[in-house]
Amino acid sequence: MSESTFIFNSRHPEYVAHAEAWRRARDAYSGGTEYIHKALIKHVSEISMEFEERQQRAYYFNYPRNIAQRITQYALAVDPVRAGASTELVEDWSRSGLRVNEVMRQASTLLNIYGRAWLFCGAPAFEGAVDRERAERERLRPYCVALSPLSVKDWAYGDDRRLLWAKIEEMHTYDSNPAVMRQTVRRVRLWTRDRWELYDPLTSEITTGANPTGVVPLVELIEPDGFGIEANHWFEDVVRISDAILNNESEAQMNVVKQMFGMLVVSENFQRGAAKAMPGGKKTENDSFSAVVARSAALVESPEEKGISRYISPSGVETSTIRAENANLKQELFDVVGLAIQSRSREAQTAESKAWDFQNVTQFLANRADLLEQAELRAWEIMNLWDGSVPVPQVTYNRKFAVRDLEKNIAGLLQLSNVPGTGIEYRKAALGIAVELLDAIGSIPDDRKKALLKEIEETRPAPVPELNFGSVDNDDPDNNQGDDDETE
């Protein structure tokens, strides 16, 4: 086996173990007609014509995409703080118009889908000296993009627990010449700590270049739960439950269709008469009467039975049962990923279960924020190795998440604040809780939060106004004046 062939075909053992599940998760996230045809299961007794119709009628509720995106939306609901970052790079981190937040959202969603994601930090190749004007004109600066694990085929770590080398698959389209038909090829680029090699099957050439960073410019993101104990990723279970909902919904839909149109039942005498009426009085291989009539397979019964032709259809009980099962599956689907922070009945949920769910979700999101923060910081450090003028910012991700029922909490707080007969200390406690709720919603800066809490603590009771019960003070000139006026 030649070196180029080995470079193209070698795969990391973890890639080999999970590639099939990764592709299935990717297809489930993408959805569409192609995935419906892949995920729908044909019954053992289902004829091809009915299955084809069911495929054409089927529709897909894309729960995998909903879940993957929702986790990212919660985890990155508040923009991270990047003190000292280059404004230009923050606004275009990928060199293709994607900001830092958008690249990190991509990485987070990839992590949800696959349980593993990569950040690649590169720089465009150039020759000759580069001044500031040329750098701005040709946009010669480092960049960072998110990669799925399907793009990183093989890798290895050294004794220092840093990447020793990695192979990245690149889909490249040759279309710079409008007079030549475009061609898209799968190239593989091998990165080591001091150089890179590009293998192109179209040209059969190996292009090489220097890697001045001294590191493999990749950052691996991996969920510690799951792959850390050599387990499958939880998103596989999400896909399987989603597939079950798809198949159940398809069955319910076809039941509705059959209720509208029904299935034809004919007598044996009618069947024989129809067969005799055909040319030659014989049934040919192309005769579809006994197999298919109208929209579905026909049932044949003997004269000893009903003896009459009629339509039958399934009752509505089966359809309602399927829909109820799908409702249960949907609930279980969100329970699997810990997103169901309430039961179906919020009133039925105990205080202990609510507290447990709240801690479960917030801890998951806090771990995700910590993972993204470390990965982004490492990406900035690699970009700095490409170009020393790129500052390494202080990156801070939000770790406070408003996943409680804030509307009810605030309403309850307002009711408690209006309890009659309470003193200043009670009101201070209520105001302190209000500040914590505001912090949960909008992440108040620490200095401002301290100022608010100090202001609450320094609150004093309002002065009690003096009460006048109508007594007359003879020394008061106003009272005397009032007497004179009355005399007049």
Side-chain angles (χ1 to χ4, degrees):
M1 182 183 294
S2 65
E3 179 183 356
S4 297
T5 303
F6 178 77
I7 292 293
F8 268 98
N9 296 328
S10 69
R11 299 289 185 268
H12 193 279
E14 288 193 25
Y15 184 99
V16 175
H18 298 288
E20 183 178 353
W22 287 342
R23 294 189 185 96
R24 184 75 175 197
R26 176 198 61 192
D27 295 342
Y29 179 89
S30 299
T33 302
E34 184 177 352
Y35 183 71
I36 290 176
H37 288 179
K38 180 182 297 185
L40 277 183
I41 301 173
K42 182 181 178 181
H43 300 159
V44 176
S45 59
E46 189 174 22
I47 63 174
S48 298
M49 182 177 293
E50 276 200 345
F51 182 61
E52 290 174 4
E53 179 184 359
R54 192 155 64 86
Q55 284 184 320
Q56 293 175 0
R57 288 180 177 274
Y59 45 82
Y60 179 49
F61 298 123
N62 200 329
Y63 294 115
R65 177 180 291 186
N66 179 293
I67 290 171
Q69 290 183 343
R70 183 179 299 190
I71 293 175
T72 295
Q73 290 167 358
Y74 272 111
L76 299 177
V78 178
D79 290 346
V81 177
R82 302 178 177 92
S86 166
T87 304
E88 180 185 7
L89 289 179
V90 167
E91 292 300 315
D92 186 7
W93 213 40
S94 66
R95 201 167 169 264
S96 63
L98 295 179
R99 295 173 293 180
V100 180
N101 288 344
E102 293 167 329
V103 174
M104 295 309 297
R105 286 191 180 97
Q106 287 182 338
S108 177
T109 301
L110 291 172
L111 197 59
N112 297 331
I113 298 171
Y114 302 107
R116 173 183 268 112
W118 298 84
L119 291 176
F120 173 73
C121 307
F126 59 88
E127 296 180 357
V130 178
D131 54 18
R132 184 176 183 83
E133 181 182 354
R134 181 189 175 188
E136 292 181 356
R137 182 178 66 254
E138 299 181 16
R139 303 172 68 240
L140 301 177
R141 55 178 177 76
Y143 61 90
C144 182
V145 294
L147 299 178
S148 84
L150 289 167
S151 297
V152 183
K153 303 295 185 180
D154 203 356
W155 64 91
Y157 282 89
D159 295 335
D160 57 359
R161 302 311 303 158
R162 295 285 188 182
L163 281 170
L164 196 60
W165 54 265
K167 300 175 185 177
I168 303 176
E169 182 179 272
E170 305 174 357
M171 300 301 295
H172 182 74
T173 302
Y174 289 93
D175 58 357
S176 58
N177 188 346
V180 178
M181 181 179 295
R182 64 166 48 89
Q183 286 183 279
T184 300
V185 298
R186 180 174 64 91
R187 309 190 304 187
V188 173
R189 193 183 299 265
L190 170 64
W191 283 93
T192 66
R193 295 183 180 183
D194 57 0
R195 63 188 297 101
W196 56 264
E197 298 175 355
L198 178 63
Y199 296 79
D200 191 329
L202 185 64
T203 62
S204 299
E205 296 179 354
I206 301 176
T207 309
T208 63
N211 175 12
T213 65
V215 300
V216 177
L218 278 169
V219 181
E220 184 181 23
L221 295 86
I222 185 169
E223 287 193 345
D225 294 337
F227 285 106
I229 56 175
E230 297 183 357
N232 295 326
H233 186 41
W234 53 263
F235 202 77
E236 293 184 41
D237 299 320
V238 169
V239 172
R240 291 189 68 85
I241 298 175
S242 176
D243 286 352
I245 295 175
L246 168 64
N247 279 275
N248 288 348
E249 188 62 31
S250 176
E251 296 293 352
Q253 183 193 38
M254 291 306 296
N255 268 4
V256 172
V257 173
K258 289 178 179 180
Q259 288 172 32
M260 289 189 294
F261 296 102
M263 180 177 291
L264 181 63
V265 180
V266 298
S267 67
E268 283 185 334
N269 288 335
F270 182 80
Q271 182 191 27
R272 293 193 190 99
K276 291 180 181 178
M278 294 178 181
K282 294 182 179 180
K283 192 175 176 182
T284 65
E285 293 181 358
N286 295 327
D287 177 22
S288 61
F289 171 78
S290 62
V292 178
V293 175
R295 65 160 304 279
S296 186
L299 302 178
V300 178
E301 58 185 7
S302 65
E304 288 76 14
E305 295 176 321
K306 295 288 185 179
I308 58 174
S309 299
R310 68 193 185 282
Y311 279 94
I312 62 173
S313 63
S315 66
V317 177
E318 291 85 350
T319 302
S320 62
T321 303
I322 293 173
R323 292 278 163 79
E325 172 62 14
N326 272 356
N328 291 332
L329 284 175
K330 181 180 177 182
Q331 180 66 31
E332 296 298 333
L333 177 66
F334 286 92
D335 285 343
V336 165
V337 293
L339 290 180
I341 59 176
Q342 293 93 249
S343 65
R344 296 178 191 84
S345 173
R346 298 186 182 183
E347 289 73 22
Q349 199 174 19
T350 65
E352 290 80 4
S353 65
K354 287 183 179 180
W356 178 264
D357 289 336
F358 173 71
Q359 291 294 333
N360 183 33
V361 176
T362 53
Q363 188 61 44
F364 175 86
L365 295 175
N367 291 340
R368 172 57 56 82
D370 187 60
L371 184 62
L372 295 175
E373 179 181 286
Q374 294 180 45
E376 182 184 333
L377 180 60
R378 179 58 181 161
W380 283 107
E381 292 172 349
I382 296 177
M383 294 173 74
N384 174 263
L385 295 175
W386 279 107
D387 184 352
S389 65
V390 175
V392 179
Q394 182 178 353
V395 181
T396 305
Y397 274 63
N398 171 59
R399 287 174 174 78
K400 296 178 181 178
F401 303 98
V403 296
R404 285 180 172 174
D405 192 341
L406 294 177
E407 181 182 356
K408 284 192 173 182
N409 285 345
I410 293 173
L413 179 63
L414 291 175
Q415 292 177 1
L416 291 175
S417 301
N418 295 326
V419 173
T422 56
I424 183 63
E425 294 302 324
Y426 181 92
R427 290 197 293 273
K428 285 182 180 180
L431 291 172
I433 296 174
V435 172
E436 295 297 335
L437 285 175
L438 288 174
D439 188 29
I441 298 172
S443 186
I444 303 174
D446 290 340
D447 55 346
R448 192 169 187 181
K449 184 177 178 180
K450 290 179 181 178
L452 288 172
L453 293 175
K454 182 180 179 182
E455 180 179 323
I456 293 172
E457 187 60 31
E458 293 176 352
T459 302
R460 295 291 180 265
V464 179
E466 296 183 4
L467 300 179
N468 188 343
F469 293 100
S471 59
V472 177
D473 187 354
N474 294 328
D475 295 332
D476 189 347
D478 292 336
N479 290 334
N480 294 335
Q481 182 66 35
D483 294 340
D484 294 340
D485 293 341
E486 186 176 354
T487 304
E488 294 177 358

